[in-house]
Amino acid sequence: MNSNAVSLDQGQNSLTYAWSTGDTALAGIFLAEVEVTLAAGGKTTIPNEGYYKIHIDADLDGA
């Protein structure tokens, strides 16, 4: 999945992704990285090595 829906708070050194409908429809463990376009030009990837691990549980109430 690729998305530009990220909010960056430089003062807190944090970013927030707003999940969209369907983003969490499939249960499992997923690997993620964030590519940041720098104001001065160029791009960087976070984390620099490896990935974030995101665990999405199956719907527990069957809804």
Side-chain angles (χ1 to χ4, degrees):
M1 165 181 63
N2 292 315
S3 176
N4 293 325
V6 173
S7 172
L8 179 62
D9 183 340
Q10 292 179 340
Q12 295 294 318
N13 289 327
S14 68
L15 57 89
T16 303
Y17 174 77
W19 296 99
S20 297
T21 302
D23 282 351
T24 60
L26 185 62
I29 297 174
F30 301 88
L31 302 178
E33 64 183 17
V34 178
E35 186 176 85
V36 178
T37 302
L38 305 171
K43 295 181 181 183
T44 188
T45 302
I46 304 169
N48 296 39
E49 294 182 22
Y51 298 92
Y52 295 111
K53 199 178 276 188
I54 299 173
H55 185 189
I56 298 175
D57 290 324
D59 187 359
L60 300 178
D61 65 4

